[in-house]
Amino acid sequence: MLLVPGFAQTVASWDDVIASLRRQHPAIAAPRALEIPQVASFAATADALADIGGPGLWCGYSMGGRLALQVAIAHPHVVHHLVLVSATAGLANEIERQHRIESDDALAQSALADGAEIFLDRWIAQPMFAGVPAHEAGTQERRSLSASRLSRDLRILGTGAMPSLWDNLRELTMPVTIVTGSLDSKFTAIGKAIHAAIADSVLVTVDCGHSIPLERPDELAAILHDTHSAAARNSEETI
């Protein structure tokens, strides 16, 4: 089970989900949160992640979900089951994509100008993260991220920088689970659209906002356990 963090997060953002899995389902092989490598492009980052992670159940949150989706499309042999948490397949409209590139570039400049601490405080204070308990925000762990790293990730891994993957969704042959928060109307709508585009997919809604790994780690752990168990059963039946 391979877990990919979102923007402005470290692997520690998965700690509560991993702890819940180990506590409730000790028979599952230890999940592994992956550090996102720093390479030249969105696609190259996904390629590097595929090499680092190898085969398994891939789960990504937000930016990590977009990267996990790219891994599944470019390297389907390593993704036995894909779990997308509060994620999108990109921006199909080129005008919207260009606006997003400009918006992410402005954020990248503000990270460099203001410094990581101020930028992170402002980022975490956004309404979309209002449901994250203060003690779960991972503020101290996030401060290990430099302003240059935050700026770079916005420019290289932002939604505008990634290619639109909407037309590629029909290529996916592995089962896909899409998880959204009921209070996150934007990504719930996106999740429904992804679900409609993928024949072998399941849509699960959790009673929370955008940041499901931090807001509802136990519920996400239960979803991952059920998904992992179903994948194992299907593998045994195939054999």
Side-chain angles (χ1 to χ4, degrees), residues 3 13-22 213 216-217 220-221 224:
L3 311 172
S13 65
W14 288 104
D15 282 356
D16 286 348
V17 175
I18 292 172
S20 183
L21 280 165
R22 287 174 173 167
R216 295 288 188 273
L220 183 54
L224 289 172

Side-chain angles (χ1 to χ4, degrees), residues 27-104:
I28 289 183
R32 183 157 57 105
L34 302 178
E35 295 277 5
I36 295 177
Q38 298 184 63
V39 290
S41 67
F42 184 88
T45 304
D47 292 343
L49 276 172
D51 289 340
I52 294 168
L57 181 153
W58 282 71
C59 173
Y61 159 69
S62 198
M63 182 182 81
R66 293 188 284 105
L67 284 165
L69 176 58
Q70 176 70 31
V71 171
I73 289 168
H75 306 277
H77 59 287
V78 305
V79 182
H80 299 166
H81 196 120
L82 177 64
V83 181
L84 301 175
V85 182
S86 300
T88 178
L91 296 170
N93 183 291
E94 190 58 34
I95 294 175
E96 288 182 13
R97 189 164 175 260
Q98 187 58 45
H99 286 330
R100 183 57 184 263
I101 290 172
E102 293 169 0
S103 173
D104 285 344

